[in-house]
Amino acid sequence: MKKYAAIIPFVFLLSAVAPRLLYSAAELSDYMSSSNIGEAIENQKNLAFTKELEQCGNLNLNEEDYDDFLNSANLLTPKNNLLILVDKTHAVGTNFDDIEYEVYDGNGRLKMTPETLKAFKDMAAAAKKDGIKIWPISTHRTYEYQKNLFSRSVQKNGIEHANRYSAKPGHSQHHLGTAVDINSVDNSFVYTKEAAWLSENAGKYGFSLSFPKGQEEITGYAYEPWHFRYIGKDAVKMQDKYFGGSQQKFLEFMHKCVF
């Protein structure tokens, strides 16, 4: 096999390839402070491509893209706290119930991490200059809040509907304080000028649409044009360049092969 026929992944913990139902507090601490990628990048260029490593995914990189991809991943290492994989098979439990947050516009119900809030305010200010008004309607959620939300969804619409449109407690991106539902949680939002502006500009401020149209089999959730997650500008660029704009595919790859 040619050296550049596929990316040769860099793996810190091959055991992380198997899905984990719940991160422990210690695992999250290690995950968020990992910083060994520089050495790994140098070591991985000469690794044999094995069936085990192939689980990380085949990006079919061109030779000229190889170093750029690895350098991009290197830039993201200090930000891996923004790239924690939380989905239907990876949960964070109550670990994010009480971490540092700031409130939006004095509203105690709307909490975001400081970095997320700053980025959102910058994005909202830019939108305002273009005659667009955006605001958060749902941000951080505790485990208990999500538990009640999911339970109500099951009671109202049934378990199948709830699993498509709501996350089980511990499995919601909202636990992280970096996910924001913007303006509306109605599908009609997609036809608004605000949604069009976000589609065009959110990435410039580090926000990524979590559940795009046509990706339900990948994300496990129905299309939500209002649900954005802050992952940082560099991460959005990498997501768009190498993963077709799919946040889920990007975060899965980073989880399996980098962190």
Side-chain angles (χ1 to χ4, degrees):
M1 181 178 291
K2 291 184 180 180
K3 178 179 179 182
Y4 297 105
I7 179 172
I8 302 173
F10 27 89
V11 182
F12 293 155
L13 298 172
L14 286 175
S15 61
V17 172
R20 300 293 301 276
L21 292 181
L22 177 64
Y23 299 109
S24 70
E27 286 173 328
L28 280 171
S29 178
D30 289 341
Y31 188 102
M32 294 168 69
S33 62
S34 175
S35 60
N36 298 319
I37 194 170
E39 181 180 352
I41 285 174
E42 296 304 315
N43 293 338
Q44 296 306 314
K45 291 183 180 180
N46 297 315
L47 279 181
F49 193 82
T50 68
K51 192 170 185 179
E52 186 175 30
L53 294 177
E54 200 168 17
Q55 295 182 66
C56 287
N58 183 343
L59 298 182
N60 292 317
L61 295 179
N62 296 321
E63 182 172 344
E64 59 270 20
D65 290 332
Y66 188 75
D67 285 336
D68 180 68
F69 179 87
L70 294 176
N71 288 335
S72 295
N74 191 27
L75 285 173
L76 295 180
T77 299
K79 297 291 186 181
N80 56 3
N81 60 312
L82 294 176
L83 305 179
I84 295 171
L85 180 62
V86 184
D87 57 16
K88 287 184 177 292
T89 56
H90 298 84
V92 295
T94 60
N95 285 299
F96 288 85
D97 278 5
D98 298 309
I99 63 174
E100 181 184 2
Y101 299 106
E102 292 182 0
V103 301
Y104 174 82
D105 201 24
N107 188 333
R109 294 186 304 104
L110 299 175
K111 301 177 181 179
M112 306 180 214
T113 66
E115 185 176 357
T116 303
L117 180 59
K118 181 182 183 305
F120 187 88
K121 286 183 175 180
D122 289 345
M123 182 169 68
K128 186 176 181 180
K129 290 181 180 179
D130 291 338
I132 300 294
K133 185 176 181 180
I134 59 173
W135 63 92
I137 60 171
S138 183
T139 53
H140 172 253
R141 298 174 188 168
T142 64
Y143 182 95
E144 189 65 23
Y145 183 96
Q146 189 67 28
K147 179 181 178 180
N148 293 333
L149 190 69
F150 186 80
S151 178
R152 289 197 300 270
S153 181
V154 172
Q155 292 174 8
K156 182 178 180 180
N157 301 301
I159 186 65
E160 184 176 347
H161 183 278
N163 280 329
R164 287 190 67 206
Y165 292 93
S166 182
K168 292 180 179 178
H171 292 265
S172 174
Q173 291 186 349
H174 283 285
H175 293 315
L176 303 175
T178 56
V180 186
D181 289 341
I182 301 177
N183 286 34
S184 170
V185 290
D186 189 282
N187 284 331
S188 62
F189 178 64
V190 71
Y191 303 110
T192 67
K193 61 182 181 180
E194 290 79 12
W197 190 93
L198 286 167
S199 178
E200 181 71 23
N201 296 285
K204 300 175 185 176
Y205 301 91
F207 287 90
S208 166
L209 186 67
S210 296
F211 311 121
K213 187 176 183 179
Q215 290 195 22
E216 185 169 349
E217 289 188 5
I218 297 172
T219 66
Y221 295 103
Y223 176 38
E224 293 189 357
W226 58 80
H227 181 111
F228 288 80
R229 175 175 170 179
Y230 178 74
I231 59 175
K233 297 176 185 178
D234 291 329
V236 172
K237 290 177 183 177
M238 191 172 179
Q239 164 199 285
D240 290 347
K241 184 172 183 178
Y242 296 109
F243 297 89
S246 173
Q247 181 193 113
Q248 181 68 23
K249 288 183 178 180
F250 168 63
L251 294 178
E252 285 181 357
F253 187 92
M254 299 300 281
H255 173 80
K256 291 177 181 178
C257 306
V258 181
F259 304 133

